[in-house]
Amino acid sequence: MAKSYTGYVDQMADKYGVPRAHVRAIYENETASGKNVRSSSAGAQGHMQLMPSTAKEMGVADISDPYQNIEGGVKYYAKMLKKFGDPVVAAAAYNAGPGNVSKYGGIPPFAETKNYVRKFVKLVGAEDLMGEPSTEVVMSQKKEAPPEVAMAAAPVSLAPQASPEDVASQFSAIMATLGKGAKKTKRDKLIGLLSGI
């Protein structure tokens, strides 16, 4: 994260009542690969990659101003978190739009959104995401394109005091819905975090 904005990102998280780790993960996702210096192909702009209509809705007068852009992005994430009640689904809505999350009944089956959610979970950390008891992660059953692209549904209950066996089972369900690619060492580390070891 750009050091010059870290304090401001945290300040906005506090202002809008959302966990700093969530906002930092959104910020990191959006500023990756230097996207913050130009518009995306979809038209999103600035540090938090706000669409002009979203920026306007969030009261951002100058989308190119980093401070206004960051505040608008944090305010929008807070709105998505309030609407969907789940940080992972809120991150998906931030990326793909709340309409797509509603349409697909959970995380949309778009490759970009699945990657975004994976990175969000990795950046926030399983321990922070488990702070809310009985968090359910619902993956869409609807299909966007070819069947192999669609995600299977896998509601997962992440209880704070889960046993290592339950956590391993839950982790496998999450990874099955998000796709393959996690290394065994990362898997074991996440299982350890989830089980409180």
Side-chain angles (χ1 to χ4, degrees):
M1 182 181 315
K3 290 181 181 176
S4 60
Y5 297 107
T6 303
Y8 191 70
V9 168
D10 289 346
Q11 183 182 351
M12 290 299 101
D14 295 346
K15 178 177 179 178
Y16 290 100
V18 293
R20 289 179 176 189
H22 297 192
V23 175
R24 287 180 179 193
I26 295 289
Y27 183 84
E28 182 69 26
N29 253 330
E30 297 300 343
T31 58
S33 306
K35 286 194 300 187
N36 61 333
V37 296
R38 61 186 179 281
S39 296
S40 73
S41 58
Q45 300 174 35
H47 287 262
M48 298 296 276
Q49 288 292 282
L50 295 175
M51 294 297 289
S53 60
T54 303
K56 184 177 180 181
E57 179 187 345
M58 295 299 111
V60 175
D62 182 359
I63 199 169
S64 65
D65 177 85
Y67 294 100
Q68 289 185 42
N69 192 283
I70 290 168
E71 182 170 5
V74 175
K75 187 176 180 181
Y76 184 63
Y77 174 73
K79 180 179 179 179
M80 295 301 97
L81 187 57
K82 184 176 181 180
K83 178 178 177 82
F84 294 105
D86 179 294
V88 176
V89 176
Y94 191 100
N95 176 260
N100 280 317
V101 168
S102 296
K103 175 182 175 181
Y104 289 99
I107 298 169
F110 312 136
E112 178 187 332
T113 303
K114 291 191 296 185
N115 288 333
Y116 191 94
V117 167
R118 277 189 206 107
K119 186 172 180 183
F120 177 82
V121 170
K122 180 181 176 183
L123 289 168
V124 171
E127 201 167 78
D128 285 339
L129 289 174
M130 287 177 58
E132 299 94 24
S134 296
T135 298
E136 281 222 354
V137 178
V138 180
M139 307 306 267
S140 171
Q141 294 182 16
K142 297 180 183 180
K143 298 176 183 174
E144 173 200 26
E148 62 271 13
V149 175
M151 298 174 73
V156 179
S157 177
L158 300 174
Q161 301 301 324
S163 71
E165 294 79 21
D166 289 339
V167 173
S169 173
Q170 292 168 356
F171 179 82
S172 295
I174 291 170
M175 293 312 291
T177 59
L178 291 177
K180 297 179 180 153
K183 294 181 180 178
K184 187 173 183 345
T185 56
K186 288 183 182 177
R187 178 185 180 275
D188 291 342
K189 182 177 179 183
L190 184 55
I191 289 172
L193 286 172
L194 290 172
S195 62
I197 294 174

